Amino acid sequence: MLFVENKEICSKCGGRCCKNNPGIYKGGEVKPSLPDIGRKYVIVADIVMNPAFIRDFIAGDNEHILDKLVEVSQKAWNIMLRNELISENDFCAYMLALRPIGKNDRAGLSGTKYFPEDGNRHGNMCSLLTKTGCLLGLNERPYECRALAPSSDFKCSGNNNEFGIMSSELYISWVPFQEKMRKLLKEYLTGLNARQVTNLKASKDELFQSMLEEGFMGMYIGSDGKVKFS
């Protein structure tokens, strides 16, 4: 893919995409250690429902949008199935990746969507964004950022998430790293104290709560309020 940068357009825009949520790295672009999680990087978990269950589970959506959601989910689901990361009967699945930490990230685990606190469009601004642009050069930025094609109407196209689901390119790139990412997630979560766990459960994106309900990797909360794995 040819990555392009247009500083004139981006300067006028002010980085709307960067102010919404940090872009996701491609697998292998960064190799963080445990202390980096929650400080420099966030483990972002893309939660994808089994396409066979979506229509019965989601009510009240416009049919066209629902069809598109099923289509996008199916692509992600097929990648995980082919790589034996999930079972056909699973209700949902999680693809773990990494992105820079954002201003609203209060923990080292988050979903792919952003949830602005003030009700305005701008949500979880990337920590790498400055008044003069990104701290990183084009080739150093997360793949999701590099893949954006600047547009004068500020409706930039490229390798964007759809319905909060990562692109096929990102999914494929993270498959070989899932074992390491799950180990990293386990180390991070078991290191949280009870108060941190409570705060994570109360997060707006409800990702952690979903992981607990699904028993992802045998995850549960012990009597001491800390995360355990069976």
Side-chain angles (χ1 to χ4, degrees):
M1 177 181 288
L2 178 64
F3 302 118
V4 296
E5 183 178 38
N6 189 312
K7 294 184 178 181
E8 181 180 356
I9 290 177
C10 291
S11 176
K12 292 178 180 178
C13 168
R16 297 185 187 186
C17 54
C18 312
K19 292 176 180 176
N20 286 340
N21 220 22
I24 299 172
Y25 285 102
K26 206 169 187 176
E29 285 186 334
V30 290
K31 298 179 180 179
S33 61
L34 185 60
D36 286 329
I37 304 302
R39 294 179 175 84
K40 187 176 180 180
Y41 302 111
V42 165
I43 298 174
V44 55
D46 198 0
I47 178 172
V48 180
M49 268 187 73
N50 187 329
F53 300 146
I54 289 179
R55 293 185 184 280
D56 294 332
F57 186 76
I58 300 177
D61 278 326
N62 179 281
E63 185 65 25
H64 175 72
I65 295 176
L66 186 56
D67 284 344
K68 185 64 176 178
L69 176 58
V70 173
E71 177 187 336
V72 175
S73 296
Q74 188 72 64
K75 290 180 181 178
W77 195 262
N78 288 343
I79 292 170
M80 287 186 277
L81 272 178
R82 286 197 302 269
N83 290 277
E84 300 181 341
L85 294 174
I86 53 173
S87 160
E88 287 186 7
N89 297 320
D90 287 340
F91 179 75
C92 66
Y94 303 91
M95 178 67 80
L96 304 180
L98 289 168
R99 65 164 170 76
I101 196 167
K103 72 170 186 178
N104 289 343
D105 288 320
R106 293 185 176 83
L109 174 65
S110 180
T112 54
K113 297 180 180 179
Y114 73 92
F115 293 82
E117 291 186 339
D118 56 8
N120 294 324
R121 176 174 172 77
H122 293 160
N124 190 24
M125 187 172 77
C126 181
S127 59
L128 298 173
L129 180 64
T130 71
K131 292 181 179 180
T132 56
C134 183
L135 283 173
L136 304 178
L138 179 62
N139 292 327
E140 299 173 300
R141 296 170 193 168
Y143 176 81
E144 198 170 34
C145 305
R146 302 199 311 274
L148 281 173
S151 174
S152 58
D153 62 2
F154 307 144
K155 296 179 181 179
C156 303
S157 62
N159 201 9
N160 300 321
N161 287 357
E162 293 188 82
F163 301 104
I165 299 175
M166 291 192 295
S167 67
S168 297
E169 289 85 354
L170 284 173
Y171 257 83
I172 293 169
S173 75
W174 280 105
V175 166
F177 299 93
Q178 287 310 288
E179 184 177 349
K180 291 181 179 179
M181 289 300 299
R182 292 184 181 195
K183 182 177 183 291
L184 185 62
L185 176 64
K186 186 174 182 178
E187 290 176 344
Y188 172 73
L189 291 177
T190 53
L192 299 179
N193 59 42
R195 184 175 181 179
Q196 290 172 315
V197 172
T198 298
N199 290 339
L200 192 54
K201 286 177 67 177
S203 176
K204 288 185 178 182
D205 64 8
E206 300 179 345
L207 168 71
F208 181 58
Q209 187 63 43
S210 295
M211 287 182 161
L212 287 172
E213 291 173 0
E214 289 296 314
F216 181 57
M217 298 193 300
M219 185 189 307
Y220 69 97
I221 305 296
S223 57
D224 59 358
K226 299 182 69 176
V227 178
K228 312 287 185 181
F229 291 86
S230 59

